Each structure stands twice: as structure tokens, then as C-alpha cells.
Amino acid sequence: MVALTAEKQDRKLLSRIAAGDGHGENSAYFDGWKAYEENSFHPIDRPDGVIQMGLAENQLCGDLMRKWVLEHPEASICTPEGVDQFSDIAIFQDYHGLPEFRQAVAKFMEKTRNNKVKFDPDRIVMSGGATGAHETVAFCLANPGDGFLVPTPYYPGFDRDLRWRTGVNLVPVTCHSSNGFKITVEDLEAAYENANIPVKGLLITNPSNPLGTTLDRDCLKSLVNFTNDKGIHLIADEIYAATTFGQSEFISVAEVIEEIPDCNRDLIHIVYSLSKDMGLPGLRVGIIYSYNNRVVNIARKMSSFGLVSTQTQHLIANMLSDEDFVDQFLRESKLRLAARHAELTIGLDGLGIGWLKAGAGLFIWMDLRNLLKTATFESETELWRVIVHKVKLNVSPGGSCHCHEPGWFRVCFANMDHKTMETALERIKVFTSQLEEESLNRTKPMAKKKKCWQSSLRLSFKDTRRFEDGFFSPHSPVSPSPLLRAQT
Amino acid sequence: MVALTAEKQDRKLLSRIAAGDGHGENSAYFDGWKAYEENSFHPIDRPDGVIQMGLAENQLCGDLMRKWVLEHPEASICTPEGVDQFSDIAIFQDYHGLPEFRQAVAKFMEKTRNNKVKFDPDRIVMSGGATGAHETVAFCLANPGDGFLVPTPYYPGFDRDLRWRTGVNLVPVTCHSSNGFKITVEDLEAAYENANIPVKGLLITNPSNPLGTTLDRDCLKSLVNFTNDKGIHLIADEIYAATTFGQSEFISVAEVIEEIPDCNRDLIHIVYSLSKDMGLPGLRVGIIYSYNNRVVNIARKMSSFGLVSTQTQHLIANMLSDEDFVDQFLRESKLRLAARHAELTIGLDGLGIGWLKAGAGLFIWMDLRNLLKTATFESETELWRVIVHKVKLNVSPGGSCHCHEPGWFRVCFANMDHKTMETALERIKVFTSQLEEESLNRTKPMAKKKKCWQSSLRLSFKDTRRFEDGFFSPHSPVSPSPLLRAQT
Ligand SMILES: Cc1ncc(COP(=O)(O)O)c(C=O)c1O
Ligand SMILES: Cc1ncc(COP(=O)(O)O)c(C=O)c1O
């Protein structure tokens, strides 16, 4: 009691922001990380540990990076070849950033948009990752109480990035599995009309996290037209621009606005980062690219709160201006991502587990709707707990991404080595065959009851029937939705 | 007209924050930087350019840094010795930071506080420089509309850092030259009583920017007691902790709270950074050290918006844990700062120009009150324009630091080489002798009027009398305030 009172007292001394939980970490998305942290998988030390499939990290091309770095000692201010610049670089704190950094990033952004558009280095504003970029954009565009439309499901971090300290709201635009979670103007209109707050913009993620899908040209045009017509902003998070493979074509909003004659570009803003496409999340290189001069000006002033370390700017400037390397890196990265994606999805196909057909991002959107006891988020959470604590795979439940339909899970595949992926697939296989066995046992009620996978669960399952139905079986009559499987 | 309407229209689309000028850059402090940028001094290319004396940068020990870096290739992830860690480091994005980074920073903070206190690595929260740290602390402690007391004169960046995006107010506590700008409890009480808003804390800068002074033990104790009694927070910006020389003794608030038996530590927070003491502002290493558990927890979540690049964390962790190097660096740095400080102040003394006696920081607080036409900030600005545009030295007028008395100027001395300092002193000398000549000419009114330094000014001087009075002369009857000269 005393402690509680002290804590309450303490909270009174702090801001409402600090006393509240708008940081959004009280979600399964982050809980899963904690489970992983407490008992993380290691092939030798903790072979029974949780495998982290909840982290959208690209670790597949570290060797290429390492090779380049060794071949380019001048890119670092900490080598005999580069140290003469140590002082100049370490002291540089202009929020415009190193000119060569902005130039190289602009060029890289062109490359990752298939050289179909030009980016002006003077519009490149840096920030502390896309995380910082989103907050900055929200501070620039909206007042506390205003809202941004966001199609669901969406990246859980948005709740923190755009809302927490800005006081801005996110207005979900409900997308549906029936059409592969496409964003339709009807759904946008509905959300816009029903929002009881001033809507200042639409935030899209293309390619999508968590879906792994890309938006096609017509859709993008309709979104530009919708926002232009309403006179609201369009923010495109294109952090996975080069993280595409297979048949997925990524089209940037930068390209589309060139095809719309009277487009009001003052309403168009792109958020980017090197965290995914280059696999460098630790370096915190975030970018705001706005077509609105005043936003460029103000966002740049705000960037003082999260500038990119000049040591890192210098390295990145050198690395990204080596065009041969960048070309080769992006090519090889796509190949490796495609291979890993195929490994996972072929594995799931073999087990009869559905997933949304897509070819971008660092994850797949897995369909376990058939495994839910009831079509509720409570059931989704129950199933998720089983997957994290028994199957020992930390995947992210769709509910944490504000998905409207329970039963979807995001599974990351690029943050581990091949062996770990094999282990993960093996665990899923064991899990599904246990489910199948349960199902068979149920049909021979007199047989001696075998120790089943739920037996040691300390979760309060009131009804495990749906788990025992064996819908995971490849021979199950209820196969994953063919419509979804046909999506590209 | 059309353009204006378009701009107005444009602003309507943006947030109030973006449409306003709360960023604080519309001040002489920043204008001077612009003048410098447009025509920056270079000994060969632009010998008539503006010398930057408005930047609190420590460039005196770059050679020591460079030497260490060369001797420690393992500290970088971009050398053959360190590259094996490239992937692990570049991918690390935990907002707790690298454990070795937090440990090394805690140790360094102890060293820069003369090893009189311990710092707990688990309380070290990183941020995008002290700039980001201040904003984070403000977001944690105060609601929009609340206020923090801040003794004047203060670092102009605070207006941006603590206020701009948080909606928090700064309530000036007026300090006076008559007692060397000491912070007194009476002045604090007065400001606290007269603030018409909820006061949530007191922000002090120790050592002071712009004064260069340090707070003594009694003063610090009185500030802790004052804030504890009121139940408000005390934020101590100790960014210049190791930037002390001569007789100045720096005492950290961390030390003082140990001497106050019932101190409520939940109200005590330190802001720190490596920008000044290590001369590394480009690397954006900011620190929040709070004794309040909840603030540590929330500030750490907020640090997502401005994490330190892991490439930089790794380098800093290595560098700061080399204790011999740190000891030697800090010792040598103090010696060089003292020498440079002496060079400037002896030069000014020779010209009869007053300055506030102090031995910390990267600047002196120069007293030109006697040169003002009238004791107003308009006159201060006029004089400042002359100094920037004619004498071609970018110093910062006291008004931009919210000084209550016109006529003070902050002059930075550690961001240039010795030759440039000589040039700066030479310019001041020429300026003062011109003033003297003017003064002499005025006494022989019939003599042919010489081309004087004001003649080509395009500034709207209505009355240049005071400038012609020759108060700069060492023989001037109005010498700099002896009281101030006696301060240590
Ligand atoms: C869609 C999306 N936006 C932003 C981010 C944040 O990226 P950064 O590491 O650049 O802050 C992520 C990271 O997962 C993301 O998936
Ligand atoms: C008192 C004070 N606080 C904070 C800062 C900002 O420092 P940083 O470079 O760590 O953001 C400065 C820089 O001049 C300063 O003088």
C-alpha cells in the first residue's frame, strides 16, 4: 500500500504523458519480445529457447557490408586512411547534414525507386530513424486532437511514433482479408466521414508492414487523389522500398505524383530509413522527404532532437555513393530475401498453413484463423500464448497490428540464419502433428489418452476444442482461403 | 500577393507548431551564425570574413583524439580489427544501449565529477545530444502550459529544447550583474510567486552557459532545498562538467544531494553530453541521468526518437573505458582551455575591456555596457551589428541569452586555432583604437573629418555618439566594473 501510494504520488509529479501508457509497449507485440529476451534461443546454449520471429530485421547481407567496409577504410574516420577527417567530422553539427550525405541518400532513394524519379538533396531531412521521422512529420502536420487515417493492419510502432508525445490520434481504416487487405476509397471515405476529429492526413506503409504487400499504381493514384481532394496530407512510409523480391513491384508515391497533372505536392511526404533496405537499424539513419518547403524547413529545425551521428553520416555517404556496391548489394539482397521467403512459405505450404501471398518486407502474414476457438481476439491471444510459450516462436499477433480480423500473425524471416529457420519450421511441424494426433485421438475415444501438448499449459483454456480439430492438417477439409493464396 | 496567400494557405495545412516560430531561430544568436556562414573567415581565402566566436565548441584537443583512435583500431567497426563486430553492432537497436556504453559513460561521469559520486549505469538514458535530453526531460516532467524556472542569462537553445514541441513555458529568474549573476533564493522565490502558471521545476546550467561561472556548494544546496521544499523538480545541465580550468571548482548536484539527509531524489535529474567535455558535438551523445525510476523508464522509451548510433556507442564505449586516456585527455584539455582563456582575457584586459571573472565553459561573458548609446536592448543590437558586420566577429549578444541587462556579450574562444584568435584580438584592437581616434577627433572639431568606421555602415544609427565616446580606451575614466573583475 505504501509503495503504491508513493508511486501514485510520484506520478502526480510527472507529466500526463509520463504517467500514462501512450508509449504503446503494453501490447503483445512487445510482450513477445520480453518472452524472447528472458529465454532467447541459442543453438548450443539454449536450444529450447524462444526463436525471435517478431523482429523485422534484415540480417541476410552482413557479409557484403563487412567486405565493403574492409575495402574502404577511407569511409571511416577511425582508420589511418580516414582519421585526418576525425576532428572535422566529429565537430560537424549542422542540422542540414553533411552535403555528401544528403546527396548520397538522394541518389540511393532514386535507385531504390528504380531510377524513375529524382530526389532533391535539399529536401532530404534527417531524423533518428523512421521512428523519429514519423514523430517529426506528425508534429509538423497536426495539432493535438487531430487525426491521421491509417489503414489496418499497421506497424504497432505508429501508435508510439505519431501519437505519444504529439497528442495526435490515429483513425483506423479497416481493411479486409476478403480482398487481400487492399486499401479502397470506400473504406477511406467511411473512416474519414466517421472520424469525429479533424483529419489531417493519411499514413500509408508501402510496401506494407505487416502484410508484405505492395500498392499498385491504380491504388496509389486513388490515394493521392483522395487526399488531394480532401485537402489532407499523404504520408508514405516507404521504409521497405528495396525490400522487394519475386514478382512484387514497388511503386513509390514519388513516381505516381508525376503522373497526376495538378497534384498538390505540398501535401506529399515520404518517410524513409536505412534500417530495413540496408539492414542498419542500429545506425539510426531516418529520412523525411517532403515536397512542402515549409515542412522541409521546420522538420529540419526539429531534426536537432535526433540528428544522425556525423561518424555515421560520413560512413553512409561513402557507402551509398559507391554505386557499384549499392547495385550489387540490392541485387544480392533481393535474391537472399526471396530464397529465405521461399524456404519459409514452402515449409508452411507443406503443413497446410495459409499466408497472404506477397513478395516484400521481412515477414509474411500467416493465416491461423482456422485455429481459433472463436473468432475473437481473446482466442487469438490464447493461440499466440501457445505459440510463444509452448512452440517457442515469438510471432506477432494481428491484433497488435490493429488487424480487424482475429487469427492473423506476422512472422519475420530475415533476422536469423538458415539453421534457425529450419529449427523454427521443425517446431511448427511438431506442433501441427501434435494437433493432428489430438484430432485422431478424439475419433478413438476409448484409446488411452496420450500426453497432449496442452497438458502442461498453465493458460486458462476453458475450451480447447478448436485447437484439437486438426485444421492444420494438409488433409483438412478447411484449407486456407484460396482467394488469399492467389494474391500476388 | 498571390504568393503570400499561397503561403498563408500552406500554413493553415500545417500544425500550429510548424506555422509558428517557437523554434527560436529568429534571434540574434542564430542571425550571427548566418552572417558567419555567408562570409566565414579563412586565413587565405577570406581573410576579411567573419570570425565565428558564437559557437561553444571545443576544438582544442582534436589531436589527442586522433592519436587515440589510431592506436585503437578495435574501437571501430570499420577496421580489420573491429569489423567482425560490424553486423552485431549495426543491427543493435535496443533503447537500453550497449551495456558497455552505459558503463563507460557512468564511469566517465564519475571522473568528470572528481570521483566523488557514483553513477549507476542502469540510470543512464541516452538521447540525441543534450538537446534531445532536455526535450525528453520536459516531456516527462511537465504538461503543456506548465513552466520551469530558469535563471538568466541562459543558453538560447533552451527556448527550443524545452518549449517548442512540449508546450512548456520557461519562467525567467532574473539574475543581476551586481552580484556576478548569482542565483539567489530571493530571486527564485520572486519568480516562483509571480509565475501565473504551475511551476514544475527549476533548470540550472552548471557550469553556466553563457556566464562561464560555476555554482558553489552553498548555492547548490540552497537550490536543492528550494526545489525540494516546493516539491518541484531540479534539472541540472552539467554539460560543461569537465570544461573547467583555473581556480573554478565544479561541484555536481550529484555530490550535493548526498550531503542533504532527507533529499527527495525523485526530483533530481542531470542532463549531460559529450559535445563539450570531449569536443564531440557531431556524434550526438546525450545523456539523461535521473534519480527517479519512472523518469528513467519513460525517458528510455522516449529515447527511441533520438538514439545514439551504435557505431558511435561502440567507439565511445571503447574510448571512455580507456581510463588512462580519459585522465590524460581531461588534464590536457583543461591546460589548453586555460591557456586559450588567458590569451583572450589578457588581450581584453590590455584593451580595457571588461569580462565576468570565471573559469569554466568555452566562452567569456564580455562587458560592453559602457559602449551602449542607451542602456537598452536596441542599443545592444546596434552595437552587436557593428561587431558582426564591421568588426567581423560573430559574438552573441546577451539579449539573445535573455540577459536582463543590456551590454553583455558571449565570446567563444575554443572553436578556433591560435592564429585565428590572434586575428580576432587584432580586430578588436583596431576597433577600439578607431573608437579612440573618433573620440580624439571629436575634441578637435575643426580638423578634417577622417573616414571613420561607421561611414560605410548601412545600419540606421540615429545617434552614434556613444560609439564615438572612446570608452574602450584603456585610459577611459569609466573602467569595467571592478566588482565583476574581482569575481572568481
Ligand atoms: C513501417 C515501419 N516504419 C518505421 C519503422 C521504424 O524504423 P527505424 O528503425 O528506421 O526507426 C519500422 C520498423 O520496424 C517499420 O516497419
Ligand atoms: C548548456 C547547454 N546545454 C545543451 C547544449 C546542447 O548540446 P548538445 O550538442 O549535446 O545537444 C548546449 C550546447 O551549446 C549547451 O551549451
Side-chain angles (χ1 to χ4, degrees):
Chain A
M1 265 314 284
V2 175
L4 194 74
T5 318
E7 201 194 321
K8 265 198 186 158
Q9 177 74 12
D10 184 54
R11 289 191 182 213
K12 236 188 58 191
L13 288 173
L14 308 182
S15 66
R16 286 187 293 270
I17 290 177
D21 59 2
H23 50 71
E25 287 196 19
N26 303 336
S27 114
Y29 183 78
F30 293 101
D31 282 350
W33 286 10
K34 283 168 209 153
Y36 165 75
E37 269 159 32
E38 278 159 22
N39 177 26
S40 49
F41 172 80
H42 184 276
I44 294 150
D45 301 344
R46 280 177 310 280
D48 290 335
V50 176
I51 296 178
Q52 175 61 294
M53 303 186 99
L55 201 54
E57 228 173 55
N58 186 353
Q59 301 193 3
L60 302 184
C61 289
D63 58 325
L64 304 183
M65 208 60 99
R66 192 160 57 240
K67 185 162 169 284
W68 185 88
V69 160
L70 279 188
E71 286 167 4
H72 294 273
E74 76 286 357
S76 163
I77 53 173
C78 297
T79 57
E81 293 81 359
V83 78
D84 280 348
Q85 295 195 65
F86 189 95
S87 295
D88 284 348
I89 295 294
I91 264 175
F92 186 88
Q93 56 182 317
D94 182 342
Y95 58 38
H96 292 86
L98 293 166
E100 57 270 28
F101 169 77
R102 274 188 288 125
Q103 264 146 31
V105 168
K107 195 106 208 142
F108 181 73
M109 286 181 71
E110 290 170 8
K111 237 182 233 310
T112 50
R113 275 101 186 143
N114 301 313
N115 287 312
K116 289 193 179 153
V117 274
K118 289 262 163 242
F119 287 99
D120 176 358
D122 288 341
R123 292 190 181 280
I124 301 276
V125 175
M126 66 183 132
S127 64
T131 299
H134 278 296
E135 190 189 53
T136 297
V137 169
F139 270 123
C140 286
L141 305 184
N143 292 320
D146 290 348
F148 287 111
L149 302 173
V150 194
T152 65
Y154 63 79
Y155 165 57
F158 287 158
D159 291 325
R160 173 194 60 199
D161 303 349
L162 286 110
R163 290 188 340 179
W164 191 25
R165 306 198 303 185
T166 62
V168 168
N169 298 297
L170 298 186
V171 180
V173 178
T174 309
C175 298
H176 307 272
S177 66
S178 55
N179 69 351
F181 297 98
K182 279 221 162 76
I183 309 170
T184 68
V185 171
E186 295 71 47
D187 292 333
L188 286 172
E189 285 284 3
Y192 184 85
E193 289 308 322
N194 294 327
N196 288 321
I197 50 172
V199 169
K200 291 301 280 290
L202 165 64
L203 167 64
I204 56 172
T205 307
N206 179 35
S208 163
N209 176 4
L211 298 173
T213 51
T214 51
L215 298 179
D216 64 32
R217 194 174 303 269
D218 286 344
C219 176
L220 270 167
K221 277 193 182 161
S222 73
L223 302 182
V224 173
N225 287 330
F226 172 81
T227 48
N228 255 254
D229 288 350
K230 300 277 189 238
I232 63 174
H233 297 277
L234 178 60
I235 308 160
D237 179 332
E238 300 188 347
I239 193 172
Y240 296 99
T243 307
T244 54
F245 42 87
Q247 293 99 10
S248 268
E249 191 199 8
F250 163 68
I251 302 167
S252 171
V253 72
E255 193 182 329
V256 165
I257 58 173
E258 298 211 337
E259 297 165 9
I260 297 179
D262 297 320
C263 177
N264 180 357
R265 296 188 176 205
D266 277 344
L267 298 173
I268 310 290
H269 322 274
I270 297 174
V271 165
Y272 190 53
S273 143
L274 299 186
S275 295
K276 312 298 177 180
D277 286 349
M278 295 298 284
L280 299 172
L283 306 197
R284 311 313 298 140
V285 185
I287 301 296
I288 298 159
Y289 190 91
S290 175
Y291 292 87
N292 182 315
N293 293 342
R294 182 140 183 103
V295 171
V296 169
N297 181 297
I298 294 293
R300 184 157 282 143
K301 291 184 170 62
M302 289 187 183
S303 72
S304 300
F305 300 114
L307 296 172
V308 177
S309 165
T310 47
Q311 182 192 13
T312 295
Q313 283 186 50
H314 183 73
L315 172 66
I316 293 301
N318 276 275
M319 187 183 281
L320 296 190
S321 49
D322 181 344
E323 301 209 29
D324 289 343
F325 168 70
V326 171
D327 289 340
Q328 188 214 331
F329 182 92
L330 293 177
R331 212 166 33 235
E332 183 66 25
S333 175
K334 281 168 195 280
L335 289 176
R336 295 187 191 183
L337 285 164
R340 176 59 64 79
H341 180 265
E343 185 182 352
L344 173 59
T345 54
I346 289 168
L348 293 181
D349 286 348
L351 299 169
I353 297 175
W355 50 280
L356 183 68
K357 275 280 161 71
L362 303 166
F363 28 71
I364 59 149
W365 189 234
M366 182 168 69
D367 178 5
L368 300 186
R369 283 176 297 168
N370 293 334
L371 278 194
L372 299 187
K373 285 189 288 175
T374 58
T376 62
F377 286 103
E378 289 72 43
S379 290
E380 180 181 281
T381 303
E382 276 184 16
L383 176 55
W384 175 75
R385 289 213 178 104
V386 172
I387 298 173
V388 172
H389 296 287
K390 304 308 290 180
V391 190
K392 298 228 165 103
L393 302 177
N394 178 35
V395 299
S396 306
S400 68
C401 302
H402 299 263
C403 187
H404 162 73
E405 283 175 31
W408 295 89
F409 294 81
R410 193 191 71 166
V411 186
C412 297
F413 56 75
N415 61 323
M416 62 193 72
D417 58 20
H418 170 70
K419 277 241 163 279
T420 307
M421 176 54 79
E422 278 185 341
T423 307
L425 278 168
E426 186 57 33
R427 288 182 185 183
I428 300 175
K429 195 170 159 192
V430 170
F431 177 53
T432 55
S433 60
Q434 278 173 337
L435 291 181
E436 216 175 322
E437 224 170 285
E438 289 302 313
S439 161
L440 288 176
N441 284 349
R442 226 171 33 90
T443 65
K444 312 179 226 148
M446 302 316 289
K448 191 173 183 299
K449 202 167 185 326
K450 286 175 80 176
K451 191 176 184 302
C452 87
W453 61 269
Q454 289 104 329
S455 63
S456 58
L457 276 185
R458 270 174 300 157
L459 300 167
S460 60
F461 281 164
K462 292 206 181 68
D463 177 0
T464 53
R465 188 172 31 83
R466 298 272 303 184
F467 288 100
E468 292 163 12
D469 275 355
F471 284 154
F472 261 142
S473 154
H475 313 296
S476 159
V478 185
S479 72
S481 156
L483 177 67
L484 296 185
R485 304 298 297 276
Q487 302 274 338
T488 323
Chain B
M1 267 312 284
V2 176
L4 194 74
T5 319
E7 203 195 317
K8 266 197 185 158
Q9 178 73 13
D10 182 54
R11 289 191 180 212
K12 237 189 57 192
L13 288 173
L14 308 181
S15 67
R16 285 187 294 271
I17 290 176
D21 58 2
H23 49 74
E25 286 196 20
N26 302 336
S27 111
Y29 183 77
F30 294 100
D31 281 351
W33 287 8
K34 283 169 209 153
Y36 165 74
E37 268 159 32
E38 278 160 22
N39 178 26
S40 49
F41 172 78
H42 184 277
I44 294 150
D45 301 345
R46 279 178 308 280
D48 291 335
V50 175
I51 295 178
Q52 175 61 296
M53 303 186 99
L55 201 54
E57 231 173 53
N58 186 352
Q59 299 193 4
L60 301 185
C61 289
D63 58 325
L64 303 183
M65 208 59 98
R66 191 162 55 242
K67 184 162 169 286
W68 184 87
V69 160
L70 279 188
E71 285 167 4
H72 294 273
E74 76 286 357
S76 164
I77 54 173
C78 296
T79 57
E81 293 80 359
V83 77
D84 281 348
Q85 295 195 64
F86 189 96
S87 294
D88 284 349
I89 295 293
I91 263 174
F92 185 89
Q93 55 182 317
D94 183 341
Y95 56 38
H96 292 86
L98 294 166
E100 58 271 28
F101 169 77
R102 272 187 290 125
Q103 264 146 33
V105 168
K107 194 108 209 139
F108 181 73
M109 286 181 71
E110 289 169 9
K111 237 181 233 309
T112 50
R113 275 104 187 140
N114 301 315
N115 287 312
K116 290 194 178 151
V117 273
K118 287 264 163 241
F119 287 99
D120 176 357
D122 288 341
R123 292 191 181 280
I124 300 276
V125 175
M126 68 183 130
S127 65
T131 300
H134 278 296
E135 190 189 53
T136 296
V137 170
F139 269 123
C140 286
L141 305 184
N143 292 320
D146 290 349
F148 288 111
L149 302 173
V150 193
T152 66
Y154 63 79
Y155 165 56
F158 287 159
D159 291 325
R160 173 194 61 200
D161 303 349
L162 286 110
R163 289 188 341 177
W164 190 25
R165 306 197 305 184
T166 62
V168 168
N169 298 298
L170 298 186
V171 179
V173 179
T174 308
C175 299
H176 307 272
S177 65
S178 55
N179 69 350
F181 297 98
K182 279 221 162 75
I183 309 171
T184 68
V185 172
E186 295 70 48
D187 291 333
L188 286 172
E189 285 284 2
Y192 185 84
E193 290 309 322
N194 294 327
N196 288 320
I197 50 173
V199 170
K200 293 299 281 291
L202 164 64
L203 167 64
I204 57 173
T205 307
N206 178 35
S208 163
N209 176 4
L211 299 173
T213 50
T214 51
L215 299 180
D216 63 34
R217 196 174 301 271
D218 286 345
C219 177
L220 271 167
K221 276 193 184 162
S222 74
L223 302 182
V224 173
N225 286 330
F226 172 81
T227 48
N228 255 254
D229 288 350
K230 300 276 187 237
I232 63 175
H233 297 277
L234 177 61
I235 309 160
D237 179 333
E238 299 188 347
I239 193 172
Y240 296 100
T243 308
T244 53
F245 41 89
Q247 293 99 7
S248 268
E249 190 199 10
F250 164 68
I251 302 165
S252 171
V253 72
E255 194 182 328
V256 165
I257 58 173
E258 299 210 337
E259 296 164 10
I260 298 179
D262 297 320
C263 177
N264 180 356
R265 295 189 177 205
D266 278 344
L267 298 174
I268 310 290
H269 322 274
I270 297 174
V271 165
Y272 190 53
S273 143
L274 299 186
S275 295
K276 313 297 178 182
D277 286 349
M278 294 297 285
L280 299 172
L283 306 196
R284 311 313 298 140
V285 185
I287 302 297
I288 297 159
Y289 190 91
S290 176
Y291 293 86
N292 182 314
N293 293 342
R294 182 140 184 103
V295 171
V296 169
N297 180 296
I298 294 292
R300 184 157 282 144
K301 291 184 171 59
M302 289 188 184
S303 72
S304 300
F305 299 115
L307 297 172
V308 177
S309 166
T310 47
Q311 181 192 13
T312 295
Q313 282 185 52
H314 183 73
L315 172 67
I316 293 301
N318 276 276
M319 186 184 282
L320 295 190
S321 48
D322 180 344
E323 301 210 28
D324 289 342
F325 168 70
V326 171
D327 289 340
Q328 188 214 331
F329 182 91
L330 294 177
R331 211 164 36 233
E332 183 66 26
S333 175
K334 281 168 195 281
L335 289 177
R336 294 187 190 182
L337 285 165
R340 177 58 63 79
H341 180 264
E343 185 182 353
L344 172 59
T345 53
I346 290 170
L348 293 181
D349 285 347
L351 298 169
I353 297 175
W355 51 279
L356 183 69
K357 275 279 162 72
L362 303 166
F363 26 73
I364 59 149
W365 189 234
M366 182 169 68
D367 179 4
L368 300 187
R369 284 176 296 169
N370 293 334
L371 278 193
L372 300 188
K373 284 188 291 177
T374 59
T376 62
F377 286 103
E378 289 71 44
S379 288
E380 179 180 282
T381 303
E382 276 183 14
L383 175 56
W384 174 75
R385 290 214 177 104
V386 172
I387 297 173
V388 172
H389 296 287
K390 304 308 291 179
V391 189
K392 297 226 166 105
L393 302 177
N394 178 36
V395 299
S396 306
S400 67
C401 302
H402 299 262
C403 186
H404 162 73
E405 284 174 30
W408 295 89
F409 293 82
R410 193 191 71 166
V411 186
C412 296
F413 56 74
N415 62 323
M416 63 193 72
D417 57 19
H418 170 71
K419 276 241 164 279
T420 306
M421 177 53 80
E422 278 185 341
T423 308
L425 279 168
E426 185 57 33
R427 287 182 185 183
I428 299 175
K429 193 170 160 193
V430 170
F431 177 54
T432 54
S433 59
Q434 277 173 338
L435 290 180
E436 217 176 319
E437 223 170 285
E438 289 301 313
S439 161
L440 289 177
N441 284 349
R442 228 168 34 89
T443 65
K444 313 177 227 149
M446 301 316 290
K448 192 174 180 301
K449 200 167 187 329
K450 284 174 83 176
K451 193 177 182 302
C452 87
W453 60 268
Q454 290 104 328
S455 64
S456 58
L457 277 185
R458 272 173 300 156
L459 300 168
S460 60
F461 282 165
K462 293 207 181 67
D463 177 359
T464 53
R465 189 173 30 84
R466 298 273 303 186
F467 290 99
E468 294 163 11
D469 275 354
F471 284 155
F472 263 140
S473 155
H475 314 294
S476 158
V478 185
S479 74
S481 154
L483 176 69
L484 296 184
R485 304 300 296 276
Q487 302 273 338
T488 322

